Amino acid sequence: MRKTTTLMALALLPLAAAAQYKSQVWSPDNGDGTYTNPVINADYSDPDVCVGPSGEDYYMTASSFQCTPGLPILHSNDLVNWKIINYALGNLYEGDDEMLGHFSEPRHGDGVWAPSIRYHNGEYYIYWGDPDHGVYMVKTKDPAGKWDKPVCVIKGKGYIDTTPLWDDDGRCYMVNGWANSRSKFASVLTVRELSADGTRAIGQPVIVFDGNGTENRTCEGPKFYKRDGWYWIMCPAGGVPTGFQLAMRSKSPYGPYEHKIVLAQGKTNINGPHQGGWVHTKYGEDWFLHFQDKEAYGRVVHLNPVDWSTGWPVMGKKGEPVTTYKKPKASTQLITNPVESDEFNTPTMGLQWQWHANYDEKFGVPTAFGTFRIYTYKLSNGWKNFWEVPNMLLQKTPADSFTVTTKMRFTSKADGQMGGLIMMGLDYSALILKRTGDQFQLVQATCKAADKGKEQTEQVIATLKPTAKDKIDYKPGIHEDIYLRLTVDNSKVNFAYSSDGKKFTPCGTEFQMREGKWIGAKFGFVSVETDAKADRGWVEADWIRVTK
């Protein structure tokens, strides 16, 4: 265990912030002036992008649903190399006690849907639709700094996929889609006017596009732009895994709009290339960031060139997505990727991590000892599986194939306490330590259809004697030091364990990954218990490393 003091860790923060992280498992920059899609091989679904006033800084955000912190902020100088720099939201929704309480337990698939990010009049804005509560907005002058508390722009159900457009005369319009699950209608886009400061609706919605009964069903995720006197709405249609990208234009924000398909799978193997953001660079180039649905891995981010020579934004290569292409022009050539591994040597939580509900300090905290501590969450009476657990510390899968190894200690105060490494989704599997008497069982805990309330099954792999016991007999704990590993290949997960970090023993049953509710499968730590009256135990994560 690394004995890193808080002062030493603080001293390292500037170095850590400046360091560039190159992933071992996926880096899209080929180092020869070209890139290979996806530019982010992780679940940043419904991405949107804007460019800052320098013309050299691009900022991306994406859906975060119930996970916290929410609304990730990623930065790039070239649209290929991306780094997580911040989150626009802490808990959902800070400043509103009722909403904070609502999201204090996992509400899988709810929360922040399909945001848009814009730079306007010296400030950055993010709008999103929460399908159960309404349209929200946050803003800041510095994307890497503190964002204001959320403002409810429109209260109500069904609003999703919201994008503002500030017109040349200062008026503000908003386009949005509709969630059939809440409104019982969909495949229409509406436009209304907002106040000039974008904080409230001052106009009634107008349906500007209707995809019902046509190939353009499931039109949603619209983004609003103005170019050369035309109002443009770019949106996906045709369904998430199999759809395509539409562009539509009008001389009025309220339409009528003519439309064309500008990006589709065609003869490529990139299914459903759609829903994202267009950006025009200071070098006169045009690019489109969008997602591809990769099932258990979630919706990963692709970059395609945009050709306006016909008067329409034809994307990719003649309307089909590219796999390898020349990089955008940029003054900075620096290879960097979103961070995955974590030594837990700083007094703040790494930006790759999210909880499964609004954060409570009893979930877990960094320590001054070079570790991260995750306390056991008290499961409900009659619990079936881990679907109810809010304090899972998880991150997105970073590639199609990768290995995750962690060194951890599990400290237990009572029978039934469990902690270890998990791959979480609608189905999940975890390699955990479970206290039984004065020993630990190494168990593979698996559940299929966790979201449907199915019971977890447990396969006992080994019985382990504790590596240490508390010397003082006051609320004693017993401890187990162990190395756990999961390996992912073609969405199959296999586990292994070791007592010394050198020789690993494969164990358990191969597990088929499955996506979560509107998100990809995520991996990380789980720490739970079944005794409502016992003192909490904890997982003490020393490090976690993502390798080939």
Side-chain angles (χ1 to χ4, degrees), residues 11 27 51 60 67 73 85-86 89 94 132 143 191 230 245 247 265 284 297 337 341 349 418 431 442:
S27 185
V51 60
M60 182 197 303
C67 300
I73 306 297
I85 62 165
N86 199 8
L89 292 176
E94 290 176 331
D132 296 305
V191 170
W230 289 93
Q245 184 70 21
Q265 177 174 354
Y297 296 102
N337 310 121
S341 300
M349 189 171 81
M418 298 171 270
L431 187 59
L442 185 65

Side-chain angles (χ1 to χ4, degrees), residues 121-175:
N121 199 25
E123 294 185 291
Y124 294 85
Y125 292 76
I126 296 178
Y127 284 74
W128 73 95
D130 181 314
D132 296 305
H133 299 100
V135 178
Y136 287 83
M137 178 268 285
V138 290
K139 65 177 182 174
T140 187
K141 293 183 183 297
D142 177 12
K146 180 69 175 175
W147 289 71
D148 292 348
K149 292 179 180 178
V151 172
C152 184
V153 179
I154 305 172
K155 191 172 184 177
K157 282 196 172 187
Y159 302 102
I160 58 170
D161 306 354
T162 54
T163 305
L165 172 66
W166 279 273
D167 210 343
D168 304 328
D169 59 5
R171 296 172 73 176
C172 184
Y173 303 94
M174 186 191 78
V175 65

Side-chain angles (χ1 to χ4, degrees), residues 360-417:
D360 184 300
E361 290 177 0
K362 293 186 292 296
F363 288 0
V365 291
T367 77
F369 322 123
T371 63
F372 196 100
R373 181 174 294 184
I374 305 109
Y375 286 104
T376 50
Y377 172 77
K378 294 184 179 295
L379 296 164
S380 63
N381 291 330
W383 70 280
K384 301 287 187 181
N385 60 58
F386 294 160
W387 193 249
E388 67 178 71
V389 177
N391 75 322
M392 280 188 276
L393 185 65
L394 304 176
Q395 63 168 289
K396 307 171 191 298
T397 58
D400 295 354
S401 300
F402 59 97
T403 297
V404 177
T405 307
T406 184
K407 180 186 178 184
M408 56 163 273
R409 165 175 279 200
F410 186 57
T411 294
S412 178
K413 297 281 189 174
D415 267 7
Q417 294 181 337

Side-chain angles (χ1 to χ4, degrees), residues 185-188 210-214 216-219:
F185 66 85
S187 295
V188 295
D210 186 353
N212 285 282
T214 74
N216 300 318
R217 64 177 179 81
T218 323
C219 58

